[in-house]
Each structure stands twice: as C-alpha cells, then as structure tokens.
Amino acid sequence: KAGVTQTPRYLIKTRGQQVTLSCSPISGHRSVSWYQQTPGQGLQFLFEYFSETQRNKGNFPGRFSGRQFSNSRSEMNVSTLELGDSALYLCASSSGQGDYTQYFGPGTRLTVL
Amino acid sequence: DQQVKQNSPSLSVQEGRISILNCDYTNSMFDYFLWYKKYPAEGPTFLISISSIKDKNEDGRFTVFLNKSAKHLSLHIVPSQPGDSAVYFCAASALKGNEKLTFGTGTRLTIIP
C-alpha cells in the first residue's frame, strides 16, 4: 500500500498571504488528522476529519481550517499568514474505526517571511 | 499543561545494549499509547502501540511497557542499532471516537557504535 502523501513538500509565503496544503491518506483510510510541529511547541493537533466531517478540533485560531473530500483526501488552509505559522505541517491517516494507529506523511515545510 | 511528558531530552546508548525511553502522562482518560520515531524534516514513523487493557506489547526488537497506576510507559529497544538514532515521541489518545494524539516533547536517542 502506498503511504500518506503530502504536497507540496516545501512552501515559502509572505505575511498576510494564504496557503493550502494537501494530503492523500493511505488507501481505505477514512480519518485524516493534521498536526503542526514547531521547535517551541512540539507536535500539536490541529483537527481531524472523518467522512468529510470535522470530528475533532485542537486549540488553533480560526485562520486554520480544513476540509475532506469524498475520496478521503484532505486539504488544510491557513489564511492571513503570520511569521509564527512557520512550521512543519504533518498529515496522518487512520482507518477511523477500530484501529486507532495514525500513519504520518512526510510533511510540508512552510516558511513565512 | 503538558499532559504527556518525556523528561529526558537525550539519551546515548552503546550499540548492542538496551535503550530504554520513558514517558509519563497525567490524563487518566488516555487509554491508547503509541511510540513514533522521527528524523528531521520527515514525518513520524509508527513503531509500536499499546492499549490500556495490556501492560506489555512486543514487536521484534521493540517492547512497550505500560504501568497504568503510575501513569508511565517505556519503550525498550534490544539490541540497539546505529539506525535507531533518531528522536522518539510517545503519544496518547483517549479513544471512543477521538483521534487526537497528544505528543510528548521527544527524546533524542544516539546509538554509539
């Protein structure tokens, strides 16, 4: 089985812009979760989608949003970028039912200038 | 409030010996625990998990022990190999439809040849 894929791998944006990141889960997985990794805060949960519905949400401002499509692919959007949004954004997928192990993609490195 | 703690930021172990990584948690609702290995600028790689109904789980060179009364888990790697050098994260979740993982801050393991 192919693993979790994320595009793009690297992204450079300027303050005030918006960005969309994409994640394709492992085939058959219906749950997609997003995490932010920064040196200061570590790995933090953003949100989780299951069957096109946001099922769980972390403590991030409304500038961070996401969606999931009928094929389970997910996108994450960050609007009005701030310098502090520079981070590695990780997507993880799981079956969403029964097996709770999450498998991570390689991440998207976002740099905000 | 750090609900999952890895108190050792780094650990060095001789090749061939046992590596023991520790993790403590405070939230008694956590009932599923995972260990991930991570290289810089890559996504975490799943190693092993344990449900709170068990106190031990083995997979090859990796064994995870869970002490629920002490809210403590540990990962044993035997024998340690140079390729095991990475940052190790423990993560926890409270199941029942909750895919959110809470991560520890990580322990950098260095295997000395």
Side-chain angles (χ1 to χ4, degrees):
Chain A
K1 267 189 188 177
V4 178
T5 58
Q6 292 185 248
T7 56
R9 291 294 312 277
Y10 302 92
L11 209 46
I12 298 175
K13 293 285 188 179
T14 56
R15 278 182 298 174
Q17 287 188 307
Q18 75 164 17
V19 67
T20 299
L21 312 181
S22 182
C23 171
S24 292
I26 291 170
S27 177
H29 283 186
R30 295 169 62 190
S31 170
V32 174
S33 298
W34 288 89
Y35 293 83
Q36 180 196 66
Q37 186 184 26
T38 59
Q41 298 297 319
L43 274 152
Q44 292 194 295
F45 174 80
L46 281 154
F47 32 65
E48 182 238 350
Y49 285 86
F50 179 80
S51 291
E52 301 178 67
T53 301
Q54 187 179 87
R55 193 161 64 168
N56 290 290
K57 189 177 188 304
N59 297 322
F60 279 80
R63 300 186 297 108
F64 292 82
S65 63
R67 59 178 176 167
Q68 187 180 33
F69 302 94
S70 58
N71 61 357
S72 294
R73 190 177 69 85
S74 176
E75 287 182 347
M76 189 191 95
N77 185 76
V78 189
S79 62
T80 320
L81 283 166
E82 300 176 0
L83 295 178
D85 296 334
S86 294
L88 181 67
Y89 289 89
L90 293 158
C91 164
S93 77
S94 71
S95 69
Q97 295 172 302
D99 177 5
Y100 299 96
T101 301
Q102 293 185 22
Y103 298 90
F104 283 81
T108 294
R109 169 69 63 184
L110 172 64
T111 301
V112 182
L113 302 176
Chain B
D1 176 29
Q2 192 69 30
Q3 298 186 60
V4 179
K5 301 176 186 180
Q6 293 176 257
N7 292 318
S8 299
S10 63
L11 176 69
S12 294
V13 174
Q14 208 75 31
E15 181 181 356
R17 306 292 273 270
I18 183 172
S19 295
I20 301 176
L21 297 101
N22 295 302
C23 180
D24 297 293
Y25 62 97
T26 57
N27 189 341
S28 57
M29 298 300 291
F30 288 148
D31 53 9
Y32 190 69
F33 304 89
L34 309 92
W35 283 94
Y36 288 88
K37 172 182 175 181
K38 189 178 185 302
Y39 296 112
E42 292 185 12
T45 299
F46 169 72
L47 288 174
I48 192 168
S49 62
I50 187 166
S51 162
S52 59
I53 61 173
K54 294 185 174 182
D55 55 18
K56 177 182 173 181
N57 189 26
E58 283 182 84
D59 186 0
R61 296 186 299 115
F62 302 95
T63 303
V64 56
F65 295 91
L66 175 63
N67 183 332
K68 281 180 61 181
S69 60
K71 293 191 177 67
H72 176 84
L73 63 154
S74 61
L75 174 69
H76 293 208
I77 306 174
V78 182
S80 300
Q81 300 173 352
D84 295 330
S85 294
V87 178
Y88 288 77
F89 290 93
C90 68
S93 72
L95 296 183
K96 310 274 190 273
N98 185 351
E99 296 280 333
K100 172 186 174 181
L101 289 179
T102 301
F103 281 85
T105 50
T107 296
R108 179 176 302 279
L109 175 66
T110 302
I111 304 302
I112 305 164

